[in-house]
Amino acid sequence: MANAKVIQAKQEAVDVVTAKLRESATTVVADYRGLNVSQVTELRKQLRDAGIEFQVLKNTLLRRATAAAELSELDEVLTGPTAIAFSTDDVVAPAKILNDFAKKNEALKIKGGVVEGRVVSVEEVQALAELPSREGLLSMLLSVLQAPVRNFALAVKAVSEKEEQGA
């Protein structure tokens, strides 16, 4: 009977991780080997503050979850100690936080990830990390949208000033 309960608990854990893999906008897989407790605590705090869930999971559990979520290509990076960051809201945040942390702490190694249902390489995660934040992108978009209106207003002002000088 105890064996059936253990199997049931493991299956529920696989189901939870499968759901997270399917629902997350971005999932980043990393090797945390070599980080001390205070470094892991700092990383968890940074991720938590950004609304990102960070877990250390067994590779066998992850492989079953990736198979159920149809993301089996991710299995090739599931070796050694594996930590995984799930973000349902911000696509860039987990990659940016983990990449910045890895630059300061060489022990953290990004292995790969999943972005909007597609398995991506380490290089793609790092490229994603270099993108501006959502707020930065919105700011850029706003200034692009304001430019034509601003230019039109300046042109109207220049014409009115020219007419005032001529009168």
Side-chain angles (χ1 to χ4, degrees):
M1 285 294 172
N3 197 18
K5 288 181 182 180
V6 170
I7 291 171
Q8 176 71 23
K10 287 183 179 182
Q11 185 56 47
E12 288 173 6
V14 168
D15 292 344
V16 168
V17 174
T18 301
K20 287 179 185 177
L21 283 169
R22 287 184 177 147
E23 294 166 4
S24 68
T26 304
T27 302
V28 179
V29 180
D31 182 344
Y32 63 94
R33 193 178 2 202
L35 293 178
N36 62 37
V37 175
S38 64
Q39 291 170 320
V40 172
T41 303
E42 175 60 27
L43 177 60
R44 284 182 185 272
K45 182 186 179 314
Q46 289 178 22
L47 291 166
R48 191 178 331 108
D49 290 346
I52 300 163
E53 188 175 344
F54 185 71
Q55 293 181 317
V56 174
L57 297 168
K58 290 188 175 208
N59 290 326
T60 52
L61 184 142
L62 276 170
R63 284 190 191 97
R64 288 186 178 158
T66 57
E70 299 175 2
L71 297 168
S72 296
E73 308 94 75
L74 193 62
D75 289 355
E76 61 190 57
V77 300
L78 300 179
T79 57
T82 301
I84 191 162
F86 300 101
S87 175
T88 54
D89 299 328
D90 195 341
V91 177
V92 177
K96 186 177 282 302
I97 292 169
L98 286 169
N99 192 50
D100 290 348
F101 195 86
K103 286 178 183 175
K104 296 174 192 162
N105 302 281
E106 293 181 11
L108 182 73
K109 304 281 187 238
I110 295 174
K111 296 180 180 183
V114 179
V115 177
E116 295 181 341
R118 188 176 71 83
V119 175
V120 294
S121 67
V122 176
E123 292 79 18
E124 290 171 298
V125 171
Q126 290 171 336
L128 182 64
E130 299 303 320
L131 288 175
S133 67
R134 183 175 190 276
E135 290 76 22
L137 289 171
L138 288 173
S139 169
M140 288 180 204
L141 176 64
L142 183 60
S143 58
V144 166
L145 293 175
Q146 285 178 338
V149 174
R150 187 179 328 113
N151 292 341
F152 178 71
L154 290 173
V156 169
K157 182 180 177 188
V159 168
S160 71
E161 287 175 356
K162 187 175 183 181
E163 287 179 3
E164 285 177 10
Q165 290 176 353

